[in-house]
Amino acid sequence: DALADPNSNLTLDLGFQQAGQLGDTVWFDYNGDGVQDAGEPGLANVRITLVDNLGNTYETWTDATGTYTFTNLPLDRTYTTEVDVTTLPPGTVLTTPGSFTTTLTYTYMEDWTHDYGVRGLGEVGDRVWCDPNGDGIQDPLEDGLPGVVVTLTSGSGLEVTTTTGADGLYLFPNLLLDDTYTVTVSAVPGYHPTTPGSQQAYLTFEQPVDYTLDFGLDSD
């Protein structure tokens, strides 16, 4: 071509391929309902594997917030994520399926629904009672106090609240093992404590439950 620039090169074409991504969260499902509720923290250092329909495999780990992401995934493929249960915290079970499958296409390039819930096997609790002699000891005829607010916090960031039943009993189930739990009884108008207002328990495989956290209250 007589008009072509001898210093130009119009053959250097660049192609771009769109890519997909998927993932989301592994979290501590305190109430075991399979739904991530407010205050239920993510779980770090859980391994997630990804396999596509061509047999390609990938892996990643959850971060400090329990979040994980697979990026730069070719589209028009089917992907399955799976939790490596050997990397879950000790003494836990899943409250959701252990794997999820989705197909990424040019019209569905992202999927953030691969969430995994985990609950523990430990329990903490016992009783808030009326201690009229103020000695901090539950005597046979001393009744439980119903409707008292009790709060549990953990070293891993969990905070949940319950109230005592008609018999003064309370229970925090589904707790992770290898963690420290602090239970605090709220102030009750007209009463003062006869035992410490906060007590701790440490749950392990050897001791997965602790039903010794009792709170005495005497009327003013």
Side-chain angles (χ1 to χ4, degrees), residues 70-84:
F70 291 99
T71 60
N72 298 319
L73 300 174
L75 300 176
D76 287 333
R77 294 188 189 179
T78 299
Y79 296 93
T80 299
T81 60
E82 185 173 0
V83 173
D84 180 352

PDB file of all heavy atoms in Angstrom, residues 70-84:
ATOM      1  N   PHE A  70     -11.450 -17.063  45.437  1.00  0.00           N
ATOM      2  CA  PHE A  70     -10.764 -17.603  44.263  1.00  0.00           C
ATOM      3  C   PHE A  70     -11.012 -16.633  43.104  1.00  0.00           C
ATOM      4  O   PHE A  70     -12.167 -16.342  42.786  1.00  0.00           O
ATOM      5  CB  PHE A  70     -11.284 -18.992  43.896  1.00  0.00           C
ATOM      6  CG  PHE A  70     -10.933 -20.063  44.885  1.00  0.00           C
ATOM      7  CD1 PHE A  70     -11.853 -20.481  45.837  1.00  0.00           C
ATOM      8  CD2 PHE A  70      -9.678 -20.664  44.867  1.00  0.00           C
ATOM      9  CE1 PHE A  70     -11.539 -21.483  46.747  1.00  0.00           C
ATOM     10  CE2 PHE A  70      -9.353 -21.668  45.781  1.00  0.00           C
ATOM     11  CZ  PHE A  70     -10.280 -22.069  46.724  1.00  0.00           C
ATOM     12  N   THR A  71      -9.945 -16.143  42.490  1.00  0.00           N
ATOM     13  CA  THR A  71     -10.070 -15.148  41.423  1.00  0.00           C
ATOM     14  C   THR A  71      -9.451 -15.681  40.135  1.00  0.00           C
ATOM     15  O   THR A  71      -8.817 -16.740  40.111  1.00  0.00           O
ATOM     16  CB  THR A  71      -9.382 -13.839  41.825  1.00  0.00           C
ATOM     17  OG1 THR A  71      -7.987 -14.095  42.075  1.00  0.00           O
ATOM     18  CG2 THR A  71     -10.018 -13.247  43.078  1.00  0.00           C
ATOM     19  N   ASN A  72      -9.643 -14.911  39.052  1.00  0.00           N
ATOM     20  CA  ASN A  72      -9.066 -15.234  37.734  1.00  0.00           C
ATOM     21  C   ASN A  72      -9.462 -16.624  37.259  1.00  0.00           C
ATOM     22  O   ASN A  72      -8.652 -17.371  36.694  1.00  0.00           O
ATOM     23  CB  ASN A  72      -7.533 -15.112  37.762  1.00  0.00           C
ATOM     24  CG  ASN A  72      -7.080 -13.696  38.083  1.00  0.00           C
ATOM     25  OD1 ASN A  72      -7.650 -12.724  37.583  1.00  0.00           O
ATOM     26  ND2 ASN A  72      -6.067 -13.579  38.928  1.00  0.00           N
ATOM     27  N   LEU A  73     -10.720 -16.986  37.473  1.00  0.00           N
ATOM     28  CA  LEU A  73     -11.210 -18.295  37.071  1.00  0.00           C
ATOM     29  C   LEU A  73     -11.761 -18.240  35.648  1.00  0.00           C
ATOM     30  O   LEU A  73     -12.581 -17.369  35.331  1.00  0.00           O
ATOM     31  CB  LEU A  73     -12.306 -18.764  38.028  1.00  0.00           C
ATOM     32  CG  LEU A  73     -11.910 -18.903  39.504  1.00  0.00           C
ATOM     33  CD1 LEU A  73     -13.132 -19.236  40.349  1.00  0.00           C
ATOM     34  CD2 LEU A  73     -10.824 -19.960  39.669  1.00  0.00           C
ATOM     35  N   PRO A  74     -11.357 -19.159  34.774  1.00  0.00           N
ATOM     36  CA  PRO A  74     -11.931 -19.205  33.429  1.00  0.00           C
ATOM     37  C   PRO A  74     -13.443 -19.403  33.485  1.00  0.00           C
ATOM     38  O   PRO A  74     -13.957 -20.134  34.341  1.00  0.00           O
ATOM     39  CB  PRO A  74     -11.236 -20.413  32.789  1.00  0.00           C
ATOM     40  CG  PRO A  74      -9.959 -20.557  33.559  1.00  0.00           C
ATOM     41  CD  PRO A  74     -10.290 -20.150  34.960  1.00  0.00           C
ATOM     42  N   LEU A  75     -14.158 -18.745  32.576  1.00  0.00           N
ATOM     43  CA  LEU A  75     -15.608 -18.841  32.559  1.00  0.00           C
ATOM     44  C   LEU A  75     -16.061 -20.054  31.755  1.00  0.00           C
ATOM     45  O   LEU A  75     -15.271 -20.747  31.129  1.00  0.00           O
ATOM     46  CB  LEU A  75     -16.198 -17.554  31.991  1.00  0.00           C
ATOM     47  CG  LEU A  75     -15.850 -16.286  32.783  1.00  0.00           C
ATOM     48  CD1 LEU A  75     -16.401 -15.050  32.098  1.00  0.00           C
ATOM     49  CD2 LEU A  75     -16.358 -16.384  34.221  1.00  0.00           C
ATOM     50  N   ASP A  76     -17.368 -20.288  31.802  1.00  0.00           N
ATOM     51  CA  ASP A  76     -17.971 -21.457  31.166  1.00  0.00           C
ATOM     52  C   ASP A  76     -17.389 -22.757  31.725  1.00  0.00           C
ATOM     53  O   ASP A  76     -17.175 -23.737  30.987  1.00  0.00           O
ATOM     54  CB  ASP A  76     -17.818 -21.412  29.642  1.00  0.00           C
ATOM     55  CG  ASP A  76     -18.733 -20.368  29.015  1.00  0.00           C
ATOM     56  OD1 ASP A  76     -19.789 -20.080  29.622  1.00  0.00           O
ATOM     57  OD2 ASP A  76     -18.393 -19.845  27.947  1.00  0.00           O
ATOM     58  N   ARG A  77     -17.162 -22.742  33.036  1.00  0.00           N
ATOM     59  CA  ARG A  77     -16.737 -23.946  33.732  1.00  0.00           C
ATOM     60  C   ARG A  77     -17.541 -24.081  35.025  1.00  0.00           C
ATOM     61  O   ARG A  77     -18.047 -23.094  35.568  1.00  0.00           O
ATOM     62  CB  ARG A  77     -15.244 -23.928  34.066  1.00  0.00           C
ATOM     63  CG  ARG A  77     -14.331 -23.966  32.851  1.00  0.00           C
ATOM     64  CD  ARG A  77     -12.888 -24.134  33.269  1.00  0.00           C
ATOM     65  NE  ARG A  77     -11.985 -23.951  32.141  1.00  0.00           N
ATOM     66  CZ  ARG A  77     -10.655 -24.026  32.222  1.00  0.00           C
ATOM     67  NH1 ARG A  77     -10.085 -24.296  33.400  1.00  0.00           N
ATOM     68  NH2 ARG A  77      -9.914 -23.843  31.153  1.00  0.00           N
ATOM     69  N   THR A  78     -17.626 -25.309  35.508  1.00  0.00           N
ATOM     70  CA  THR A  78     -18.312 -25.593  36.763  1.00  0.00           C
ATOM     71  C   THR A  78     -17.280 -25.802  37.858  1.00  0.00           C
ATOM     72  O   THR A  78     -16.297 -26.533  37.665  1.00  0.00           O
ATOM     73  CB  THR A  78     -19.207 -26.833  36.627  1.00  0.00           C
ATOM     74  OG1 THR A  78     -20.199 -26.580  35.628  1.00  0.00           O
ATOM     75  CG2 THR A  78     -19.902 -27.149  37.948  1.00  0.00           C
ATOM     76  N   TYR A  79     -17.499 -25.141  38.985  1.00  0.00           N
ATOM     77  CA  TYR A  79     -16.537 -25.169  40.085  1.00  0.00           C
ATOM     78  C   TYR A  79     -17.197 -25.701  41.351  1.00  0.00           C
ATOM     79  O   TYR A  79     -18.336 -25.358  41.667  1.00  0.00           O
ATOM     80  CB  TYR A  79     -15.991 -23.770  40.351  1.00  0.00           C
ATOM     81  CG  TYR A  79     -15.194 -23.209  39.210  1.00  0.00           C
ATOM     82  CD1 TYR A  79     -15.797 -22.407  38.234  1.00  0.00           C
ATOM     83  CD2 TYR A  79     -13.830 -23.470  39.092  1.00  0.00           C
ATOM     84  CE1 TYR A  79     -15.061 -21.886  37.180  1.00  0.00           C
ATOM     85  CE2 TYR A  79     -13.081 -22.959  38.033  1.00  0.00           C
ATOM     86  CZ  TYR A  79     -13.708 -22.179  37.090  1.00  0.00           C
ATOM     87  OH  TYR A  79     -12.973 -21.679  36.035  1.00  0.00           O
ATOM     88  N   THR A  80     -16.440 -26.507  42.083  1.00  0.00           N
ATOM     89  CA  THR A  80     -16.898 -27.027  43.370  1.00  0.00           C
ATOM     90  C   THR A  80     -15.883 -26.663  44.446  1.00  0.00           C
ATOM     91  O   THR A  80     -14.700 -26.987  44.321  1.00  0.00           O
ATOM     92  CB  THR A  80     -17.069 -28.550  43.334  1.00  0.00           C
ATOM     93  OG1 THR A  80     -18.054 -28.891  42.352  1.00  0.00           O
ATOM     94  CG2 THR A  80     -17.510 -29.087  44.695  1.00  0.00           C
ATOM     95  N   THR A  81     -16.348 -25.958  45.487  1.00  0.00           N
ATOM     96  CA  THR A  81     -15.495 -25.689  46.651  1.00  0.00           C
ATOM     97  C   THR A  81     -15.800 -26.714  47.733  1.00  0.00           C
ATOM     98  O   THR A  81     -16.915 -27.234  47.827  1.00  0.00           O
ATOM     99  CB  THR A  81     -15.724 -24.278  47.224  1.00  0.00           C
ATOM    100  OG1 THR A  81     -17.096 -24.150  47.622  1.00  0.00           O
ATOM    101  CG2 THR A  81     -15.368 -23.218  46.202  1.00  0.00           C
ATOM    102  N   GLU A  82     -14.801 -26.976  48.551  1.00  0.00           N
ATOM    103  CA  GLU A  82     -14.965 -27.943  49.643  1.00  0.00           C
ATOM    104  C   GLU A  82     -14.093 -27.535  50.825  1.00  0.00           C
ATOM    105  O   GLU A  82     -12.959 -27.086  50.636  1.00  0.00           O
ATOM    106  CB  GLU A  82     -14.602 -29.350  49.190  1.00  0.00           C
ATOM    107  CG  GLU A  82     -14.860 -30.427  50.238  1.00  0.00           C
ATOM    108  CD  GLU A  82     -14.657 -31.828  49.702  1.00  0.00           C
ATOM    109  OE1 GLU A  82     -14.313 -31.980  48.510  1.00  0.00           O
ATOM    110  OE2 GLU A  82     -14.852 -32.785  50.479  1.00  0.00           O
ATOM    111  N   VAL A  83     -14.641 -27.696  52.026  1.00  0.00           N
ATOM    112  CA  VAL A  83     -13.894 -27.399  53.245  1.00  0.00           C
ATOM    113  C   VAL A  83     -13.007 -28.589  53.602  1.00  0.00           C
ATOM    114  O   VAL A  83     -13.455 -29.740  53.595  1.00  0.00           O
ATOM    115  CB  VAL A  83     -14.845 -27.108  54.416  1.00  0.00           C
ATOM    116  CG1 VAL A  83     -14.068 -26.981  55.721  1.00  0.00           C
ATOM    117  CG2 VAL A  83     -15.621 -25.835  54.175  1.00  0.00           C
ATOM    118  N   ASP A  84     -11.755 -28.300  53.913  1.00  0.00           N
ATOM    119  CA  ASP A  84     -10.872 -29.326  54.461  1.00  0.00           C
ATOM    120  C   ASP A  84     -11.170 -29.419  55.956  1.00  0.00           C
ATOM    121  O   ASP A  84     -10.712 -28.585  56.743  1.00  0.00           O
ATOM    122  CB  ASP A  84      -9.412 -28.948  54.212  1.00  0.00           C
ATOM    123  CG  ASP A  84      -8.439 -29.983  54.751  1.00  0.00           C
ATOM    124  OD1 ASP A  84      -8.869 -30.927  55.446  1.00  0.00           O
ATOM    125  OD2 ASP A  84      -7.221 -29.838  54.500  1.00  0.00           O
TER     126      ASP A  84
END
